[in-house]
Amino acid sequence: MPNPARSLTCTRAAAWTEAHHIRAWIRGGDTNLDNLCLLRAHHHRTFEKAEWSVAMIDGVPEWT
């Protein structure tokens, strides 16, 4: 499964994405712009299974 970092140049419209909580909502993560980034729906559904992680650095999501 490719890491979403390789999709940063994706040209899909925002309508094809979903908001992803960087710190999971169920673990106390807030629903605000500092804790959200956009992922294509497919990547959002497979995020944890693929063991990806993301951190917000200066307002930009950094993927590992």
Side-chain angles (χ1 to χ4, degrees):
M1 176 80 46
N3 186 301
R6 295 185 180 181
S7 299
L8 292 177
T9 59
C10 179
T11 59
R12 297 274 183 166
W16 288 81
T17 65
E18 298 176 352
H20 172 75
H21 286 83
I22 295 169
R23 180 172 183 219
W25 177 85
I26 200 162
R27 296 186 184 107
D30 292 331
T31 302
N32 62 44
L33 292 178
D34 293 330
N35 190 46
L36 295 171
C37 61
L38 296 177
L39 286 175
R40 287 180 59 182
H42 171 75
H43 289 141
H44 194 212
R45 289 190 305 273
T46 59
F47 186 87
E48 286 189 21
K49 180 193 260 185
E51 298 182 359
W52 294 326
S53 65
V54 60
M56 193 65 80
I57 309 295
D58 296 324
V60 177
E62 295 228 355
W63 303 94
T64 57

